[in-house]
Amino acid sequence: MVKTYHDSNSTYGYRRIWKESLKFGFKNSPETIRHLMTKLKLKVVIFSKHKSGHCSYKGNLGKVASNTIKQKFTETEPLKM
């Protein structure tokens, strides 16, 4: 199982390794293969189903008001008076 994982350049998950083990005559369940892979710390890091996620950032919206009453803003930390 470890050799199959490393031969695939760490791209085979438990399903592909399970199918490869069936070809060689090992009759295990996919859950057993998944459990063994977690014990051996074999994890696919190249591909991910949830790659991008959701990003709601739209940049700078609107405009910043001008300093008409000439206030001095000198705070270096937020929420300080």
Side-chain angles (χ1 to χ4, degrees), residues 18-69:
W18 173 67
K19 287 186 179 184
E20 289 291 321
S21 67
L22 288 178
K23 289 180 186 176
F24 290 110
F26 298 107
K27 299 199 179 208
N28 292 322
S29 67
E31 289 81 20
T32 305
I33 300 294
R34 187 170 50 87
H35 180 71
L36 288 173
M37 285 182 70
T38 54
K39 286 258 186 189
L40 295 171
K41 296 180 182 174
L42 302 176
K43 186 177 179 183
V44 178
V45 292
I46 296 174
F47 303 107
S48 175
K49 282 185 179 180
H50 308 288
K51 187 176 177 184
S52 63
H54 175 71
C55 180
S56 62
Y57 179 71
K58 295 182 180 178
N60 295 329
L61 297 176
K63 60 180 182 177
V64 177
S66 61
N67 191 6
T68 55
I69 56 176

Side-chain angles (χ1 to χ4, degrees), residues 3-15:
K3 185 176 181 337
T4 306
Y5 176 78
H6 290 299
D7 287 346
S8 71
N9 294 324
S10 304
T11 58
Y12 274 17
Y14 76 94
R15 291 181 183 140

